[in-house]
Amino acid sequence: MGINTGVSGVRRNADAGQILIAVAGLLAGIGVAWIVSRAGGDRFNGSHLPFAVPVILLVGWSFIGGGLLYWRSRPDNHLWAVLIFQGFAWFGSILPSSQNPVLFTFGQFVYPWQYASGLYLILSFPSGRLRGGLDRVLVAITVCLVTVGNLVWLLFADPHRMMCPTCPANLLEVTRNDAVVVGVFYVFRPAGIVIALTGIGLLAVRWRRASRAQRHAVMPVAVAGVVAFCAGIAAFAARLAGMPGPNGFDAFAFYAGAAVPVAVLAVLVQRRLAQGAVAGLVVELGGPGPVADPREALSRALGDPSLALGYWFAAESRYVDRNGGPVELPAPDSGRRSTVVEREGQPVAVLIHDAALEHNAKLVDSVCAAAGLALENEQLAAELRARLVELQASRARLVEATDAERRRIERDLHDGTQQRLVSIAMSLGLVEAKLPADPERAKPIVAETRTALATALAELRDLTQGIYPTILTERGLPAALDELCSRSALTAHLRLFLDGRLPIPVETAAYYVVSEALTNAAKHAQASEVRVAARCADGILTVEVADDGVGGARNGTGSGLRGLADRVGALDGRLSVSSPPGQGTTLRAEFPCR
Amino acid sequence: MQIVVADDAVILREGLARLLREAGFEVAGLAADAGELLELVERVHPDVAIVDIRMPPTHTDEGLQAAKAIRERWPDVGILVLSQHVHAGYAVELLSAGTDGVGYLLKERVSDLDELASSVHRVGAGGSVLDPAVVSQLVGRRREADDPVKRLTEREREVLALMAEGRSNKAIAERLFVSEYTVEKHVGNIFTTLRLPVSPDDHRRVLAVVAYLNAQ
């Protein structure tokens, strides 16, 4: 539950860079404000714009300040660089108001750059990465237009004719060529409309596909983006329609552009507030009395109603829900992500949340840290419930297995012993009928009857041995294992490290583990040899049966292994199967034996 | 008298056939399951079919179902059902469609050759046979204090059990070493106490008695 911090030297460099940028932004704002004030306060670029200076400062400083905040909280997300660039580009776009030819010309050159970075910002928010090919193409075209296209325009544009009558000289003007300048305008404006329309389309598609949490995270910026795109379209369309500029649509576009940084700041503030909610979470989860459900509190703190919680069930190395039911981790492309909460290197719980929260890892970290203790408590409870669920299932299986066993015994008795005894009774009836009149013919029937009786007794012996291995009660585990191995169809090597008798249930379970493993090895594994080992040390009885067969057996498959696992589990033991294909199968059971 | 035998265990099928031949019956065919039995009965139309209750494929009550099918399609073929378990319910089910030519015996009874022969003869002649173990289960079940069976004397209850087994008054008299007249008196008392309709027919009264015992 820690947040990674970089090397401190890197941190110091970053701190210095941030201070530098803050100072530069402050100075740039003051300079631009001064230029605009000198140009007439609420008039610049020839338009009448009330509150121009406060709006200019608000927008520029919001971008730069937002960028710095982003840099501090999410240095890995390059959105901060885009925001800072956007802030300076914005201040640069005001420079054409200057009467100084150098500032004026520079301003004319950088003036449209804000469109490119603004487009990048809106399309890449909040990850800082462009998501599709169309996004990249759109941004690339815009960058070309605002750099190369603008430069071409400047090379031939006469400021007094094309910009304003009172403007200073255009230092980049090589020669005045009105045809080229007008031609560039006729490319710029339709291109601007197409780009803005495509941008709106991309945002709409994204909105439709977004989850609730994702919408929640991007809503202000998306709305501001659409407003800015619309304003741009209106301004370009007005010019295309022949409206002389500067006009009211230009003014509308100016104010609409201000909405974007405000929206970015709003999202940042929202996140800060969400982190504030973590404090509430600490209070809520840390209070006296049981927590109703940590999921509710976590879901509120993270702003993700779809949040799911899984608790670590160490005994089976999987996650379970509050009631002990299974919890599946999300697939990588499912739009869901999981964040594991750990305690001393051991998983405690997993948060399964919307992928949008990835952009706010800091919040997730703080929420996990705050909820740690409550989650640990809940995990213990969930683990208990999971054990209970498992216990109920295994109890049901034991009952089922007992019934199946009884059915088998009944069938064996009915089809075997009972039938034989009836046939013996019939033979005796026959003898009784014959004896007085024809003793000679009765003799072979008596012999036949005796053979039948011997067969019946042998069958009965096998049957009783199958019901319960009597040697186990009479002689204990070593003798019983020895007999099992000598009866096995495979060559079995037995190694025993046992002294004295163990508790009867442990001996019985160990016997059945070996018996089942030998049967499986002979039946399914195509093995030729088996090694059987039983060792009791430090209060743990370990029984291991390893064959040299084909391997590939899986734990939990087949009622035989499942039944064994239940039997072993009932004694607080563990059954494990290792069966790599081609490398034989090893069945291993461990029980407490004191 | 022509007999067919159906049992999935070959050892019992053959053993039974040998016993029956020894007792002077003609064994007309052997069947290993209910399907074979029905074909066999259709083909040879025996006097009596001896049927094991539990047969493949389900090993539950195939024999009983086959017996009922035979009763429906060939009512003049006697049925002697053999079972390894005492199931009064099965017996009653079998008898409910009529007691003429029906028997239900535990398998182990076949060891007594005379008893087997007499049972087969009785069923073949249209009489009925119910295993004493089944009858004692019916008679001996726990009864309410006001049950009329409780008002029967010891002797009368003995007579009732033998009646349920399907025996005639004459056979009962021989069994109990009394005169047939005495048996008739007991039977009259039993019918009065249990308020059963008096029937002169030995076989019909079995059904009445069994139905009565089973209903309590």
Side-chain angles (χ1 to χ4, degrees):
Chain A
M1 277 187 262
I3 302 144
N4 286 336
T5 50
V7 185
S8 57
V10 176
R11 194 93 193 235
R12 261 199 303 280
N13 282 344
D15 285 346
Q18 284 159 10
I19 291 166
L20 205 69
I21 285 168
V23 171
L26 211 61
L27 292 177
I30 292 169
V32 168
W34 181 71
I35 289 168
V36 174
S37 315
R38 273 185 49 120
D42 57 353
R43 297 183 71 82
F44 94 107
N45 284 10
S47 304
H48 174 73
L49 297 167
F51 307 110
V53 171
V55 171
I56 287 166
L57 289 178
L58 173 75
V59 171
W61 283 344
S62 296
F63 274 129
I64 295 170
L68 290 171
L69 277 177
Y70 240 89
W71 191 358
R72 293 196 75 83
S73 66
R74 297 287 312 274
D76 55 317
N77 182 336
H78 294 290
L79 208 58
W80 62 265
V82 181
L83 283 167
I84 289 170
F85 181 88
Q86 174 79 353
F88 283 104
W90 168 261
F91 284 142
S93 74
I94 313 297
L95 288 178
S97 299
S98 172
Q99 288 301 315
N100 179 309
V102 176
L103 287 178
F104 172 79
T105 308
F106 179 68
Q108 286 292 353
F109 179 57
V110 303
Y111 164 71
W113 287 7
Q114 53 160 329
Y115 298 137
S117 58
L119 181 71
Y120 186 98
L121 177 67
I122 291 166
L123 291 183
S124 72
F125 194 83
S127 67
R129 288 186 305 267
L130 293 174
R131 268 164 283 190
L134 191 54
D135 291 40
R136 288 192 196 96
V137 170
L138 210 59
V139 170
I141 290 172
T142 311
V143 168
C144 282
L145 286 176
V146 302
T147 53
V148 181
N150 190 38
L151 185 62
V152 170
W153 182 76
L154 277 175
L155 291 178
F156 303 105
D158 182 72
H160 308 298
R161 165 109 180 74
M162 286 296 149
M163 301 165 196
C164 62
T166 58
C167 283
N170 171 8
L171 298 180
L172 284 170
E173 184 180 352
V174 181
T175 172
R176 177 177 166 180
N177 187 332
D178 288 357
V180 172
V181 169
V182 172
V184 169
F185 269 139
Y186 274 98
V187 175
F188 256 50
R189 288 168 182 158
I193 292 175
V194 170
I195 289 168
L197 280 174
T198 316
I200 291 175
L202 285 170
L203 285 180
V205 168
R206 229 158 264 172
W207 186 261
R208 275 196 50 172
R209 289 185 189 156
S211 63
R212 247 180 95 179
Q214 279 169 331
R215 288 183 183 176
H216 188 68
V218 301
M219 212 239 309
V221 177
V223 169
V226 170
V227 170
F229 282 139
C230 290
I233 291 168
F236 284 134
R239 291 293 183 97
L240 268 185
M243 230 174 129
N247 55 44
F249 288 106
D250 293 333
F252 174 50
F254 171 77
Y255 291 115
V260 175
V262 172
V264 171
L265 275 183
V267 172
L268 277 177
V269 168
Q270 196 184 353
R271 286 192 186 175
R272 288 274 145 162
L273 286 178
Q275 280 176 26
V278 175
L281 183 69
V282 176
V283 174
E284 191 171 348
L285 294 180
V291 179
D293 185 353
R295 198 205 74 84
E296 302 288 325
L298 286 175
S299 152
R300 268 199 303 280
L302 288 172
D304 180 1
S306 69
L307 179 85
L309 268 177
Y311 301 97
W312 185 243
F313 182 23
E316 302 210 346
S317 301
R318 60 186 174 92
Y319 290 99
V320 294
D321 63 20
R322 284 192 103 204
N323 302 317
V327 168
E328 294 297 327
L329 294 182
D333 55 352
S334 63
R336 313 276 300 154
R337 295 286 181 276
S338 56
T339 302
V340 176
V341 181
E342 292 186 340
R343 170 92 179 173
E344 286 161 6
Q346 285 297 310
V348 173
V350 66
L351 275 66
I352 297 166
H353 51 74
D354 198 287
L357 280 174
E358 259 191 329
H359 306 305
N360 206 354
K362 203 169 174 178
L363 173 65
V364 176
D365 282 342
S366 359
V367 164
C368 289
L373 193 63
L375 288 178
E376 273 181 69
N377 287 337
E378 195 60 31
Q379 183 227 349
L380 292 177
E383 195 163 12
L384 268 181
R385 287 184 205 109
R387 276 174 178 276
L388 199 65
V389 167
E390 185 49 39
L391 194 67
Q392 278 164 347
S394 88
R395 213 162 52 175
R397 284 195 301 269
L398 277 178
V399 170
E400 216 171 276
T402 310
D403 286 350
E405 189 63 9
R406 287 185 167 184
R407 272 198 299 278
R408 186 187 68 77
I409 294 168
E410 194 273 340
R411 275 293 293 279
D412 284 355
L413 280 172
H414 177 272
D415 294 351
T417 314
Q418 265 183 324
Q419 306 274 37
R420 284 205 187 278
L421 290 178
V422 170
S423 100
I424 289 164
M426 288 194 296
S427 299
L428 287 175
L430 206 55
V431 170
E432 187 185 32
K434 290 221 182 284
L435 209 52
D438 195 355
E440 275 310 304
R441 270 192 63 202
K443 252 187 176 174
I445 302 175
V446 172
E448 198 184 291
T449 309
R450 205 185 52 203
T451 315
L453 199 52
T455 313
L457 283 172
E459 278 180 5
L460 203 54
R461 196 166 52 237
D462 283 352
L463 190 65
T464 50
Q465 187 66 22
I467 294 170
Y468 191 84
T470 44
I471 188 163
L472 199 57
T473 29
E474 287 159 12
R475 288 289 165 81
L477 190 58
L481 291 185
D482 192 56
E483 188 179 279
L484 261 185
C485 287
S486 59
R487 274 216 315 257
S488 169
L490 307 169
T491 312
H493 305 281
L494 179 63
R495 284 159 65 84
L496 293 173
F497 304 93
L498 302 169
D499 30 56
R501 294 294 299 263
L502 298 167
I504 295 281
V506 173
E507 286 197 333
T508 311
Y511 175 89
Y512 279 112
V513 167
V514 174
S515 169
E516 178 79 22
L518 287 176
T519 309
N520 284 345
K523 253 204 238 168
H524 310 300
Q526 300 167 36
S528 59
E529 271 192 8
V530 206
R531 292 180 186 284
V532 180
R535 173 197 304 271
C536 186
D538 305 325
I540 299 284
L541 171 68
T542 310
V543 181
E544 200 175 277
V545 182
D547 68 45
D548 60 352
V550 291
R554 282 197 302 129
N555 199 357
T557 57
S559 62
L561 277 184
R562 189 73 252 190
L564 274 191
D566 287 341
R567 204 184 257 276
V568 175
L571 298 169
D572 269 337
R574 278 175 71 100
L575 185 78
S576 59
V577 181
S578 151
S579 189
Q583 293 175 49
T585 301
T586 302
L587 190 71
R588 187 186 166 94
E590 292 168 315
F591 320 78
C593 63
R594 265 205 285 261
Chain B
M1 207 174 235
Q2 275 205 330
I3 316 289
V4 299
V5 177
D7 195 319
D8 59 315
V10 63
I11 178 175
L12 290 190
R13 215 156 59 218
E14 299 292 349
L16 204 51
R18 190 158 74 160
L19 275 179
L20 289 167
R21 284 196 196 97
E22 189 64 37
F25 294 100
E26 183 194 336
V27 178
L30 302 177
D33 59 46
E36 277 182 34
L37 170 66
L38 291 178
E39 277 172 34
L40 193 61
V41 171
E42 178 158 37
R43 205 172 62 236
V44 306
H45 207 94
D47 297 300
V48 176
I50 301 179
V51 184
D52 180 19
I53 280 198
R54 194 151 115 169
M55 283 195 292
T58 65
H59 293 278
T60 51
D61 64 347
E62 281 83 0
L64 193 65
Q65 300 310 323
K68 289 205 279 192
I70 292 170
R71 284 201 66 73
E72 227 166 76
R73 286 158 69 181
W74 305 282
D76 56 329
V77 174
I79 302 274
L80 180 57
V81 170
L82 297 183
S83 169
Q84 275 186 351
H85 304 285
V86 179
H87 282 307
Y90 282 1
V92 173
E93 198 181 325
L94 190 66
L95 292 171
S96 61
T99 55
D100 299 1
V102 180
Y104 181 104
L105 281 184
L106 280 181
K107 263 192 184 170
E108 61 225 49
R109 306 287 177 221
V110 301
S111 65
D112 187 333
L113 198 54
D114 293 339
E115 187 68 42
L116 174 68
S118 95
S119 296
V120 174
H121 275 299
R122 251 154 70 200
V123 170
S128 44
V129 173
L130 200 52
D131 198 279
V134 175
V135 171
S136 77
Q137 199 181 66
L138 284 172
V139 175
R141 61 172 59 174
R142 288 171 62 90
R143 293 180 181 278
E144 301 288 325
D146 60 345
D147 192 309
V149 174
K150 290 209 152 190
R151 295 207 296 271
L152 297 178
T153 63
E154 192 65 31
R155 193 50 135 180
E156 282 165 354
R157 242 175 281 172
E158 266 179 284
V159 173
L160 178 72
L162 290 168
M163 267 161 61
E165 282 175 30
R167 291 175 200 278
S168 64
N169 285 355
K170 187 167 167 276
I172 295 171
E174 279 167 21
R175 257 303 166 98
L176 300 178
F177 305 107
V178 293
S179 71
E180 214 177 319
Y181 170 75
T182 315
V183 173
E184 274 166 26
K185 247 177 62 188
H186 287 313
V187 171
N189 281 343
I190 292 167
F191 274 66
T192 314
T193 311
L194 304 186
R195 294 192 204 93
L196 286 174
V198 181
S199 161
D201 185 339
D202 281 348
H203 309 318
R204 292 202 192 288
R205 71 181 190 180
V206 175
L207 183 60
V209 168
V210 170
Y212 177 83
L213 290 175
N214 190 54
Q216 299 303 302

